[in-house]
Amino acid sequence: MILGLARSWSLTGYAIAALLVLPLFALILQAAQPDEAVFGHLLSTVLPTYISNSLWLILWVSIGSLLLALPCAWLMARCEFVARRYLQWALLLPLAMPAYIVAYVYTDLLDYAGPVQTGLRSVFGWSSPQDYFFPDIRTLGGAACVLSLVLFPYIYLLARTAFMEQSLSLAHASRIMGCSPWQSFWRLSLPMARPALAVGVALVAMETAADFATVNYFAVPTLTTAVYDTWLGYGNLTAAAKLSAIILLVVFSLIGVERFARRKQQLFQKQSRIQASDLYRLSPMQTLLALGYCITLLLLAFVLPSGILLSYAIDYFEQSWDPIFWQLSVNSLSLALITSSVCCVIALILMFIRRVSPRSSDALPSRLASTGYALPGTVLAIGVLVPLTLLDFAINDVADWLGMTGPGLLLTGSTVALVFAFCVRFVAIAIGSVETSYKRISPSLDMVSLTLGQSPRRLLQRVHLPLLTKGLFAGALLVFIESMKELPAALLLRPIGFENLATYVFQFVSDEKLEHGALPAIVIVLVGLVPLIYLNRSLEQDSR
């Protein structure tokens, strides 16, 4: 703490935070504007369908993900069987797979002309759709199944950690009292893991509310597709802002439910490390069932879509390996590099102020700056468009007043809007990483440095920055990867003629030609594997 820290540091922190929360306030103000034409028409016709589809999708995906994740989490945390060590991290792999690619792969497999129905018709002699019943995957239920397959690892990860941290003495006591493993799970472990499960379900629900690509591919009308269609179809920013405000209300309600669920969470006894002898040893039949369940889930959620994608990439390699692919890669890499660099600088400044300032109010900017991560990409894009459009108009008006030619859409027509949106959304990741690293730096180093007459700027440069290198690198890496994968904001904010890997792949998915975009899709999946490897290594280090 620096008692005489200049007010300019605080003003800098608040200025950065104000810039990052600007889209949120601009969205709310824009949504408050009257618009009877487009929004009134939507309200009287299709808006109830959008809202009900969104809520049903959130409910089904939450239930589906919970049912898929819970058995895996229990088996990995409390049981010992063959290949458990490999499966416990392999079950995280579906997180690296974009849901719209999984949707395309299963549609290709399960449609009328796909290999599954074709095989059934040849085996049973059916000749038309009237001869048999086969569920249509391009429905709300199909979208819920695909999203559940991709999002269940959120709940699996949190539930597994919760089960592993539960005290073994309680499990031993339940065994002494005659409880079977199932009774111990149902009556003891599951109730104790409810806060973690609530957090996982809330995360899955928020990801579902933010999904655009999957529901758009399945032609399921939800609030996110409504925002996209209203802005690009009608060009009505106010109506799009009103729809975005409804999504925002759903997301903040889910955050409130998550906070309410864990308001009384207190852990009085934590299990530091589980020995092999503490785990339930499964019988051969139980091992077969456990392996069958986990491997089937992994096959459906990751191995099968990845294998088909890889086969597409090999078959169409010559067509895909062209200058366009390299240009798209450069676009994605440059966007991600700029975003991660800006986010790390912002995180470093905000967390430095929070650490050394004697004023408790200086902790607020870093918290305000982190709120953007809760905004779905579609909502954030509309929030960014509102202030940048006004700023573009203001710049052109000033140019006209000076008798000069206006620059046109200087901000909304360039990649500035994309970088700004990505920074608003992902700076929370960099802040979290820097905050974690700061906790490992002893405050005595600050005191020694100040005693030797170092200024705050020199303290940051010569003491904190070298010690924060790993945290900054981890934060930059995670922001880089998220920026490479972000699709909804990129679709709405990309300048005319500008594409990156994510928008390019989605274009082929929409045109039912993923084969031609398989190579860029493989790159996106491989990039998505990096944070999972990093996360798995962190978990292994924590368990030692």
Side-chain angles (χ1 to χ4, degrees):
M1 180 184 296
I2 303 175
L3 294 176
L5 186 69
R7 287 281 181 183
S8 58
W9 284 93
S10 302
L11 292 175
T12 303
Y14 275 99
I16 293 172
L19 189 62
L20 293 175
V21 298
L22 181 61
L24 177 60
F25 285 104
L27 178 70
I28 294 172
L29 290 175
Q30 186 70 34
Q33 300 296 317
D35 177 65
E36 297 297 331
V38 176
F39 187 76
H41 173 68
L42 292 175
L43 184 62
S44 61
T45 54
V46 292
L47 187 57
T49 303
Y50 289 149
I51 295 175
S52 68
N53 281 349
S54 298
L55 295 179
W56 277 115
L57 187 66
I58 289 172
L59 179 65
W60 289 0
V61 174
S62 300
I63 294 174
S65 299
L66 183 64
L67 293 177
L68 290 176
L70 206 51
C72 302
W74 167 255
L75 288 168
M76 298 302 152
R78 288 299 189 187
C79 299
E80 177 63 32
F81 56 95
V82 177
R84 181 184 73 92
R85 182 183 172 189
Y86 303 102
L87 283 172
Q88 66 181 359
W89 67 264
L91 286 168
L92 293 173
L93 293 177
L95 280 178
M97 184 66 70
Y100 56 91
I101 292 178
V102 179
Y104 178 90
V105 168
Y106 278 106
T107 303
D108 201 35
L109 285 176
L110 302 176
D111 253 359
Y112 181 77
V116 174
Q117 290 201 52
T118 303
L120 287 174
R121 288 195 296 272
S122 64
V123 170
F124 294 101
W126 298 325
S127 58
S128 69
Q130 287 74 31
D131 295 337
Y132 63 99
F133 168 76
F134 197 88
D136 185 7
I137 192 171
R138 288 179 180 267
T139 58
L140 187 65
C145 291
V146 168
L147 288 171
S148 299
L149 279 176
V150 175
L151 297 178
F152 84 88
Y154 283 111
I155 302 176
Y156 158 74
L157 181 62
L158 292 168
R160 192 190 83 182
T161 305
F163 288 140
M164 291 176 70
E165 290 183 347
Q166 291 174 2
S167 172
L168 286 175
S169 59
L170 294 174
H172 293 159
S174 68
R175 290 189 199 180
I176 293 171
M177 295 177 71
C179 289
S180 65
W182 166 252
Q183 290 172 325
S184 177
F185 164 76
W186 184 252
R187 299 172 63 179
L188 182 67
S189 298
L190 186 59
M192 291 175 64
R194 276 188 306 187
L197 296 176
V199 174
V201 170
L203 277 173
V204 167
M206 283 190 284
E207 290 290 331
T208 306
D211 178 77
F212 163 75
T214 308
V215 291
N216 183 69
Y217 177 69
F218 280 162
V220 176
T222 63
L223 286 169
T224 51
T225 60
V227 172
Y228 186 83
D229 294 339
T230 303
W231 171 236
L232 294 185
Y234 296 99
N236 190 310
L237 197 56
T238 302
K242 288 179 182 294
L243 293 169
S244 301
I246 297 174
I247 300 175
L248 209 56
L249 182 64
V250 173
V251 170
F252 284 158
S253 299
L254 292 170
I255 294 174
V257 170
E258 181 263 322
R259 297 285 168 87
F260 180 81
R262 59 172 180 163
R263 69 195 187 285
K264 295 182 180 179
Q265 182 182 10
Q266 290 180 309
L267 189 61
F268 295 103
Q269 191 174 6
K270 181 178 177 180
Q271 183 63 35
S272 58
R273 186 178 180 183
I274 295 179
Q275 303 293 333
S277 57
D278 298 322
L279 301 174
Y280 292 112
R281 291 202 168 272
L282 301 184
S283 65
M285 180 55 71
Q286 290 171 331
T287 299
L288 196 61
L289 291 174
L291 282 175
Y293 177 74
C294 295
I295 291 175
T296 302
L297 186 56
L298 185 62
L299 281 172
L300 292 175
F302 184 77
V303 177
L304 181 61
S306 300
I308 292 175
L309 200 60
L310 188 60
S311 70
Y312 288 159
I314 294 172
D315 292 342
Y316 288 82
F317 182 79
E318 291 185 2
Q319 293 94 321
S320 303
W321 190 262
D322 56 11
I324 296 177
F325 170 71
W326 286 106
Q327 182 59 50
L328 296 172
S329 301
V330 169
N331 290 346
S332 291
L333 288 172
S334 56
L335 264 178
L337 277 174
I338 294 171
T339 303
S340 58
S341 302
V342 174
C343 285
C344 283
V345 172
I346 292 174
L348 185 62
I349 294 172
L350 293 181
M351 290 313 300
F352 175 74
I353 296 171
R354 182 172 169 178
R355 178 181 172 96
V356 302
S357 175
R359 297 175 284 275
S360 57
S361 60
D362 283 351
L364 188 59
S366 60
R367 290 172 185 159
L368 286 175
S370 301
T371 55
Y373 194 63
L375 301 179
T378 314
V379 176
L380 175 62
I382 299 300
V384 166
L385 277 173
V386 174
L388 293 191
T389 303
L390 292 175
L391 199 53
D392 270 340
F393 286 157
I395 292 172
N396 283 281
D397 289 343
V398 170
D400 289 342
W401 182 70
L402 294 174
M404 301 168 59
T405 304
L409 299 177
L410 182 65
L411 302 175
T412 54
S414 67
T415 54
V416 172
L418 270 176
V419 173
F420 180 48
F422 286 1
C423 288
V424 172
R425 183 151 164 72
F426 302 127
V427 74
I429 299 173
I431 289 175
S433 182
V434 174
E435 183 180 10
T436 303
S437 296
Y438 253 129
K439 289 178 180 176
R440 300 192 181 104
I441 301 176
S442 171
S444 60
L445 291 176
D446 299 5
M447 298 174 192
V448 170
S449 178
L450 295 172
T451 304
L452 293 173
Q454 299 294 318
S455 65
R457 186 173 58 84
R458 299 284 285 177
L459 170 66
L460 176 62
Q461 287 178 340
R462 302 185 64 178
V463 179
H464 289 179
L465 196 53
L467 295 173
L468 292 172
T469 305
K470 286 186 178 178
L472 283 169
F473 176 74
L477 181 65
L478 294 175
V479 173
F480 178 89
I481 293 161
E482 290 294 333
S483 303
M484 289 277 290
K485 294 166 57 182
E486 174 63 27
L487 176 65
L491 279 175
L492 286 170
L493 295 174
R494 60 183 167 165
I496 296 174
F498 180 88
E499 300 281 353
N500 64 4
L501 289 174
T503 59
Y504 188 69
V505 172
F506 179 73
Q507 176 187 326
F508 282 113
V509 169
S510 301
D511 296 341
E512 307 277 354
K513 297 177 180 176
L514 179 61
E515 299 87 349
H516 298 275
L519 186 60
I522 286 285
V523 174
I524 294 174
V525 174
L526 291 177
V527 168
L529 290 176
V530 176
L532 297 181
I533 296 170
Y534 174 78
L535 177 64
N536 185 61
R537 288 188 61 185
S538 301
L539 291 174
E540 286 184 347
Q541 289 174 358
D542 290 342
S543 63
R544 288 173 186 167

